[in-house]
Amino acid sequence: RKEVEQDPGPFNVPEGATVAFNCTYSNSASQSFFWYRQDCRKEPKLLMSVYSSGNEDGRFTAQLNRASQYISLLIRDSKLSDSATYLCVVNMEGAGNMLTFGGGTRLMVKP
Amino acid sequence: DTAVSQTPKYLVTQMGNDKSIKCEQNLGHDTMYWYKQDSKKFLKIMFSYNNKELIINETVPNRFSPKSPDKAHLNLHINSLELGDSAVYFCASSQDTSRTNEQFFGPGTRLTVL
């Protein structure tokens, strides 16, 4: 079983749609959680951290369910520029700042 | 003002050759990393250095040797390149080893081994 699992997609949605991505992680000792965004042939960039109480940043809302080991990302009012791969990222307990990445979910927003 | 830079951007080479990839960050960070992203797009940690000291080595073959001459640089040397080494290699840095710290990635080096 992969440590961080995501549906690879692609999710094809029209502009203005609301879309949600889910992610599960296997290690219950995981401490920190993030969503990174990766555009085609570019480097990953932090989209947002995910906090236990859930958090929102503009059109983006992240939720964490530690009991179910489940993380979600909701994007409201999708824009063409949201088209990218969204990477669910977990930081395990232990030495260093070692990020474990999911395989990513590809989003394509169409006009 | 590039925060994390890598050279070269593309590297095409023959099996058996030795090559190096350089990474520099101008963010004043203490911690640097090397990641490998394979053809299936999975991004995996290879190494982590904190203040020039190795702190993570994720079962990478010893053909891969990172070197950190100072905390702003983390280079990756690969000996006896194999076909399976073809991938995109990303360098990253973070303020320190705190688990809540954002990691900033370089633009990647696309390595193709023929």
PDB file of all heavy atoms in Angstrom, chain B residues 29-32 49-53 68 70-71:
ATOM      1  N   HIS B  29      18.500  29.501   3.938  1.00  0.00           N
ATOM      2  CA  HIS B  29      17.969  28.313   4.622  1.00  0.00           C
ATOM      3  C   HIS B  29      19.092  27.413   5.122  1.00  0.00           C
ATOM      4  O   HIS B  29      20.182  27.383   4.558  1.00  0.00           O
ATOM      5  CB  HIS B  29      17.070  27.513   3.665  1.00  0.00           C
ATOM      6  CG  HIS B  29      15.762  28.176   3.403  1.00  0.00           C
ATOM      7  ND1 HIS B  29      14.911  27.744   2.417  1.00  0.00           N
ATOM      8  CD2 HIS B  29      15.143  29.219   4.011  1.00  0.00           C
ATOM      9  CE1 HIS B  29      13.817  28.514   2.423  1.00  0.00           C
ATOM     10  NE2 HIS B  29      13.941  29.412   3.371  1.00  0.00           N
ATOM     11  N   ASP B  30      18.750  26.640   6.166  1.00  0.00           N
ATOM     12  CA  ASP B  30      19.725  25.711   6.733  1.00  0.00           C
ATOM     13  C   ASP B  30      19.646  24.323   6.105  1.00  0.00           C
ATOM     14  O   ASP B  30      20.606  23.566   6.195  1.00  0.00           O
ATOM     15  CB  ASP B  30      19.475  25.547   8.239  1.00  0.00           C
ATOM     16  CG  ASP B  30      19.906  26.763   9.025  1.00  0.00           C
ATOM     17  OD1 ASP B  30      20.647  27.608   8.482  1.00  0.00           O
ATOM     18  OD2 ASP B  30      19.509  26.871  10.201  1.00  0.00           O
ATOM     19  N   THR B  31      18.497  23.977   5.539  1.00  0.00           N
ATOM     20  CA  THR B  31      18.260  22.591   5.137  1.00  0.00           C
ATOM     21  C   THR B  31      18.011  22.500   3.636  1.00  0.00           C
ATOM     22  O   THR B  31      17.258  23.301   3.078  1.00  0.00           O
ATOM     23  CB  THR B  31      17.045  22.013   5.906  1.00  0.00           C
ATOM     24  OG1 THR B  31      17.199  22.298   7.291  1.00  0.00           O
ATOM     25  CG2 THR B  31      16.950  20.507   5.713  1.00  0.00           C
ATOM     26  N   MET B  32      18.640  21.530   3.007  1.00  0.00           N
ATOM     27  CA  MET B  32      18.474  21.310   1.570  1.00  0.00           C
ATOM     28  C   MET B  32      18.206  19.847   1.293  1.00  0.00           C
ATOM     29  O   MET B  32      18.569  18.970   2.086  1.00  0.00           O
ATOM     30  CB  MET B  32      19.718  21.794   0.809  1.00  0.00           C
ATOM     31  CG  MET B  32      19.928  23.296   0.931  1.00  0.00           C
ATOM     32  SD  MET B  32      21.302  23.909  -0.038  1.00  0.00           S
ATOM     33  CE  MET B  32      20.631  23.809  -1.711  1.00  0.00           C
ATOM     34  N   TYR B  49      20.148  17.470   3.822  1.00  0.00           N
ATOM     35  CA  TYR B  49      21.302  18.002   4.528  1.00  0.00           C
ATOM     36  C   TYR B  49      20.848  19.168   5.382  1.00  0.00           C
ATOM     37  O   TYR B  49      20.072  20.016   4.935  1.00  0.00           O
ATOM     38  CB  TYR B  49      22.359  18.516   3.534  1.00  0.00           C
ATOM     39  CG  TYR B  49      23.355  17.478   3.109  1.00  0.00           C
ATOM     40  CD1 TYR B  49      22.974  16.425   2.292  1.00  0.00           C
ATOM     41  CD2 TYR B  49      24.679  17.558   3.513  1.00  0.00           C
ATOM     42  CE1 TYR B  49      23.890  15.466   1.894  1.00  0.00           C
ATOM     43  CE2 TYR B  49      25.610  16.609   3.118  1.00  0.00           C
ATOM     44  CZ  TYR B  49      25.205  15.569   2.309  1.00  0.00           C
ATOM     45  OH  TYR B  49      26.110  14.623   1.918  1.00  0.00           O
ATOM     46  N   ASN B  50      21.367  19.220   6.597  1.00  0.00           N
ATOM     47  CA  ASN B  50      21.110  20.353   7.474  1.00  0.00           C
ATOM     48  C   ASN B  50      22.449  20.948   7.892  1.00  0.00           C
ATOM     49  O   ASN B  50      23.269  20.256   8.494  1.00  0.00           O
ATOM     50  CB  ASN B  50      20.306  19.932   8.701  1.00  0.00           C
ATOM     51  CG  ASN B  50      19.865  21.131   9.511  1.00  0.00           C
ATOM     52  OD1 ASN B  50      19.221  22.029   8.994  1.00  0.00           O
ATOM     53  ND2 ASN B  50      20.206  21.150  10.783  1.00  0.00           N
ATOM     54  N   ASN B  51      22.668  22.208   7.563  1.00  0.00           N
ATOM     55  CA  ASN B  51      23.944  22.849   7.866  1.00  0.00           C
ATOM     56  C   ASN B  51      25.128  21.992   7.417  1.00  0.00           C
ATOM     57  O   ASN B  51      26.058  21.753   8.177  1.00  0.00           O
ATOM     58  CB  ASN B  51      24.080  23.149   9.357  1.00  0.00           C
ATOM     59  CG  ASN B  51      23.443  24.462   9.721  1.00  0.00           C
ATOM     60  OD1 ASN B  51      23.570  25.448   8.991  1.00  0.00           O
ATOM     61  ND2 ASN B  51      22.744  24.470  10.825  1.00  0.00           N
ATOM     62  N   LYS B  52      25.054  21.536   6.205  1.00  0.00           N
ATOM     63  CA  LYS B  52      26.105  20.747   5.532  1.00  0.00           C
ATOM     64  C   LYS B  52      26.225  19.315   6.044  1.00  0.00           C
ATOM     65  O   LYS B  52      27.083  18.576   5.586  1.00  0.00           O
ATOM     66  CB  LYS B  52      27.480  21.422   5.638  1.00  0.00           C
ATOM     67  CG  LYS B  52      27.542  22.840   5.126  1.00  0.00           C
ATOM     68  CD  LYS B  52      28.965  23.314   4.964  1.00  0.00           C
ATOM     69  CE  LYS B  52      29.664  23.369   6.304  1.00  0.00           C
ATOM     70  NZ  LYS B  52      31.116  23.675   6.166  1.00  0.00           N
ATOM     71  N   GLU B  53      25.368  18.909   6.983  1.00  0.00           N
ATOM     72  CA  GLU B  53      25.459  17.544   7.506  1.00  0.00           C
ATOM     73  C   GLU B  53      24.314  16.698   6.951  1.00  0.00           C
ATOM     74  O   GLU B  53      23.162  17.129   6.966  1.00  0.00           O
ATOM     75  CB  GLU B  53      25.375  17.552   9.035  1.00  0.00           C
ATOM     76  CG  GLU B  53      26.490  18.318   9.720  1.00  0.00           C
ATOM     77  CD  GLU B  53      27.842  17.667   9.526  1.00  0.00           C
ATOM     78  OE1 GLU B  53      27.900  16.421   9.509  1.00  0.00           O
ATOM     79  OE2 GLU B  53      28.840  18.412   9.376  1.00  0.00           O
ATOM     80  N   SER B  68      27.806  18.877   0.061  1.00  0.00           N
ATOM     81  CA  SER B  68      27.374  20.206   0.471  1.00  0.00           C
ATOM     82  C   SER B  68      28.596  21.009   0.909  1.00  0.00           C
ATOM     83  O   SER B  68      29.005  20.927   2.068  1.00  0.00           O
ATOM     84  CB  SER B  68      26.354  20.092   1.613  1.00  0.00           C
ATOM     85  OG  SER B  68      25.869  21.354   1.975  1.00  0.00           O
ATOM     86  N   ASP B  70      28.838  24.174   1.360  1.00  0.00           N
ATOM     87  CA  ASP B  70      28.374  25.153   2.347  1.00  0.00           C
ATOM     88  C   ASP B  70      26.860  25.054   2.379  1.00  0.00           C
ATOM     89  O   ASP B  70      26.264  24.360   1.546  1.00  0.00           O
ATOM     90  CB  ASP B  70      28.832  26.573   1.996  1.00  0.00           C
ATOM     91  CG  ASP B  70      28.411  27.005   0.611  1.00  0.00           C
ATOM     92  OD1 ASP B  70      27.185  27.074   0.360  1.00  0.00           O
ATOM     93  OD2 ASP B  70      29.294  27.240  -0.240  1.00  0.00           O
ATOM     94  N   LYS B  71      26.224  25.740   3.310  1.00  0.00           N
ATOM     95  CA  LYS B  71      24.794  25.460   3.482  1.00  0.00           C
ATOM     96  C   LYS B  71      23.936  26.041   2.362  1.00  0.00           C
ATOM     97  O   LYS B  71      22.756  25.751   2.279  1.00  0.00           O
ATOM     98  CB  LYS B  71      24.312  25.876   4.862  1.00  0.00           C
ATOM     99  CG  LYS B  71      24.224  27.353   5.108  1.00  0.00           C
ATOM    100  CD  LYS B  71      23.622  27.590   6.497  1.00  0.00           C
ATOM    101  CE  LYS B  71      23.199  29.037   6.628  1.00  0.00           C
ATOM    102  NZ  LYS B  71      22.614  29.323   7.940  1.00  0.00           N
TER     103      LYS B  71
END
